[in-house]
Amino acid sequence: MSKVIVVIGAQWGDEGKGKIVDLLAERFDLVARYQGGHNAGHSVKVGDRSYALHLIPSGIIHEGKTCVLGNGMVIDPIAFFAEADRLSAQGLQVTPERVKVSSRAHLILPYHRALDHTSEERLGNEKVGTTLRGIGPAYEDKAGRRGIRVADALDADHLRTRIERNIEDANLIIRRYRGTTLDAGQVFNEIAPLVERMSAFVTDTTAFVNRAVREGRSVLVEGAQATLLDVDHGTYPFVTSSSTTAGGVCAGLGLAPKKISGVLGIVRTYSTRVGEGPFPTEMLEGEEEIGQLIRERGHEYGVSTGRPRRCGWFDAFATRYAAEINGFDTVALTKLDILDALDEIKVCTGYRLKGQPCESFPAVSHELRGVEPVYETLPGWNSSTEGVTELESLPARARDYVEFISEQIGVPVGLVSTGPERSQTILVRDSALARWLAD
Ligand code: IMP
């Protein structure tokens, strides 16, 4: 039986997926992404080397692994080759044998980036706070049936015509709000050689992944962004434009639901968010200092954009919601060591709206802004957990915190991360995760 394990962030992103996917990748044959684009940012530290990954799955760091960029992704050819060339210069093999780009994935082109900027400028105070990478406009074109798929772009005439048509439309908006318009000929001349260079990587990844599964090879599916940024289930409209949750895997890779063997949630021991949008447990009045402490200790600055991340307490109510949507079999708890310096730690166990407890996660952003988190306060452990590799070696209060989170979200913990290095990890014996790794 082939093993297909999906890894998904349970909060608003940046939960530390990079390290966990990298740890797991060693045990899998394929590492695949199914949604998003270079809005993602994973940083992986291996020894004294550090790799920043945006578009290419983390499997690239491991020799002999095949990386798949699935049909549900949006791919900027400029960003793809910038990343491929950077990783190649760091000594990694970014070759067509190892990297498969779906023929059905959609391209992000320069006008998508311009439209992303325009859209954010138009929204003013209500802006989403996107990564300005053109992700939303590319998905809009996909749903609007005017997008350019990788396979279609291989036909230069088709590419030129489509670019001309799309830029004509885009310029109507761009001219009005930004002044400087785009030149279709210039965009074509910039993109066509990159698409040609990409042709060696282009694959029918649906057939490729399904064949791999049929032949018993194992697949690690790497989610980008996270559950609360999902276009359906996230804090709409402050979300990304793709299906980031487990359900998106089937659509974004062409893989049937019954082929998925397990889902691992990545849960950070506190919360962060980049960009705008509601964030019930954000450390605001009176707690800014704690937020700042966590930001510095946890290096909470975006890998893609360098933006400082907003910091908050762990939100068990939101994470329970994420566990339900994704069907987490187990979770990896990350960045426990960042909390070492706190005297007390608050955990949000529920929300109240206009005095009434919320039964379920609010659908409407302004309601979510108005909720009052219900907190339980746990004592801090005030000692170092950095680099601890056994649950038994954690201070009792840190262990209690881990157990409390697990009880609150109703999912067993399979791994606890106690530092950025691969070795700074507790793998929980007899957990689903330990079994997946042993198989
Ligand atoms: P977009 O994906 O660039 O359209 O941005 C939409 C929202 O998702 C913004 O709030 C971004 O900050 C957020 N976002 C996108 N990618 C990531 C990520 O990889 N980590 C965390 N937040 C992200």
Side-chain angles (χ1 to χ4, degrees):
M1 243 305 256
S2 169
K3 179 173 59 174
V4 178
I5 302 296
V6 178
V7 181
I8 291 191
Q11 294 146 313
W12 280 284
D14 312 307
E15 293 89 353
K17 282 188 296 285
K19 171 183 160 175
I20 309 298
V21 170
D22 175 61
L23 262 172
L24 297 177
E26 245 166 25
R27 306 297 183 91
F28 288 78
D29 300 310
L30 269 67
V31 184
R33 274 191 57 187
Y34 61 97
Q35 46 70 232
H38 63 309
N39 46 346
H42 296 247
S43 52
V44 182
K45 224 173 140 208
V46 183
D48 56 359
R49 286 213 161 200
S50 188
Y51 302 97
L53 301 164
H54 299 279
L55 200 45
I56 298 178
S58 317
I60 199 71
I61 297 167
H62 298 266
E63 242 175 83
K65 308 294 170 193
T66 309
C67 296
V68 173
L69 283 73
N71 60 276
M73 291 186 72
V74 283
I75 299 171
D76 180 335
I78 302 171
F80 176 79
F81 284 113
E83 185 166 332
D85 292 343
R86 193 172 26 78
L87 295 175
S88 298
Q90 287 187 282
L92 301 179
Q93 301 278 309
V94 191
T95 58
E97 289 68 41
R98 294 197 57 204
V99 178
K100 311 287 177 192
V101 175
S102 171
S103 47
R104 295 181 176 88
H106 279 246
L107 290 181
I108 298 183
L109 296 175
Y111 52 89
H112 293 124
R113 235 177 300 131
L115 287 170
D116 206 350
H117 277 274
T118 312
S119 162
E120 287 287 88
E121 278 164 28
R122 286 171 75 183
L123 286 167
N125 285 342
E126 317 244 293
K127 70 175 196 260
V128 176
T130 73
T131 60
L132 299 174
R133 304 288 201 261
I135 306 291
Y139 278 115
E140 280 176 47
D141 276 0
K142 173 179 174 175
R145 292 159 296 187
R146 48 180 185 270
I148 305 177
R149 302 196 307 173
V150 171
D152 300 328
L154 296 178
D155 172 347
D157 288 337
H158 177 90
L159 179 65
R160 185 193 292 277
T161 313
R162 218 48 271 190
I163 286 180
E164 279 167 2
R165 239 185 263 164
N166 288 357
I167 285 193
E168 200 181 317
D169 290 350
N171 274 346
L172 292 176
I173 300 172
I174 297 167
R175 184 177 298 116
R176 185 146 169 227
Y177 292 94
R178 304 204 87 204
T180 43
T181 52
L182 289 153
D183 180 77
Q186 232 172 27
V187 170
F188 176 80
N189 290 339
E190 184 183 13
I191 296 302
L194 293 174
V195 169
E196 180 153 357
R197 192 177 162 200
M198 194 180 265
S199 64
F201 295 84
V202 179
T203 308
D204 182 339
T205 54
T206 306
F208 183 82
V209 171
N210 277 290
R211 188 176 335 114
V213 170
R214 232 177 8 256
E215 290 171 354
R217 275 179 286 156
S218 53
V219 185
L220 183 65
V221 182
E222 177 182 345
Q225 292 77 56
T227 304
L228 300 174
L229 291 171
D230 183 277
V231 69
D232 286 280
H233 306 290
T235 50
Y236 194 90
F238 301 97
V239 293
T240 192
S241 299
S242 64
S243 296
T244 59
T245 42
V249 174
C250 302
L253 279 177
L255 201 59
K258 59 186 176 193
K259 305 257 173 74
I260 295 173
S261 353
V263 185
L264 168 68
I266 310 295
V267 172
R268 189 175 19 197
T269 48
Y270 51 93
S271 310
T272 70
R273 172 160 207 170
V274 264
E276 309 305 315
F279 185 6
T281 63
E282 186 166 11
M283 290 158 177
L284 294 171
E285 297 94 50
E287 294 185 330
E288 295 100 330
E289 264 181 41
I290 305 176
Q292 188 57 24
L293 179 76
I294 288 183
R295 190 172 304 114
E296 294 314 319
R297 286 180 61 83
H299 309 292
E300 298 296 353
Y301 295 89
V303 176
S304 274
T305 59
R307 291 183 288 179
R309 297 176 184 145
R310 298 154 67 192
C311 295
W313 299 110
F314 182 73
D315 188 339
F317 190 67
T319 313
R320 207 146 61 217
Y321 168 65
E324 181 150 85
I325 294 169
N326 292 297
F328 295 146
D329 295 290
T330 180
V331 294
L333 267 191
T334 62
K335 296 204 166 184
L336 183 70
D337 56 303
I338 305 305
L339 302 183
D340 287 352
L342 301 188
D343 295 328
E344 283 187 334
I345 305 173
K346 283 166 45 176
V347 173
C348 164
T349 55
Y351 296 162
R352 293 180 81 82
L353 184 64
K354 297 185 186 134
Q356 295 303 315
C358 293
E359 297 287 325
S360 62
F361 194 73
V364 184
S365 270
H366 71 78
E367 280 190 0
L368 205 47
R369 278 187 212 284
V371 298
E372 204 188 304
V374 178
Y375 285 114
E376 238 178 83
T377 303
L378 280 76
W381 45 92
N382 262 315
S383 57
S384 174
T385 60
E386 202 186 331
V388 171
T389 56
E390 302 283 339
L391 265 188
E392 297 73 28
S393 311
L394 284 177
R397 286 175 171 175
R399 236 174 19 239
D400 290 347
Y401 184 66
V402 169
E403 260 169 46
F404 186 72
I405 288 183
S406 175
E407 272 165 29
Q408 283 292 320
I409 63 175
V411 184
V413 172
L415 183 151
V416 182
S417 173
T418 55
E421 304 286 342
R422 281 183 193 175
S423 59
Q424 296 173 308
T425 304
I426 300 169
L427 181 63
V428 179
R429 283 185 286 277
D430 302 324
S431 62
L433 185 56
R435 280 196 299 282
W436 293 336
L437 287 172
D439 282 349

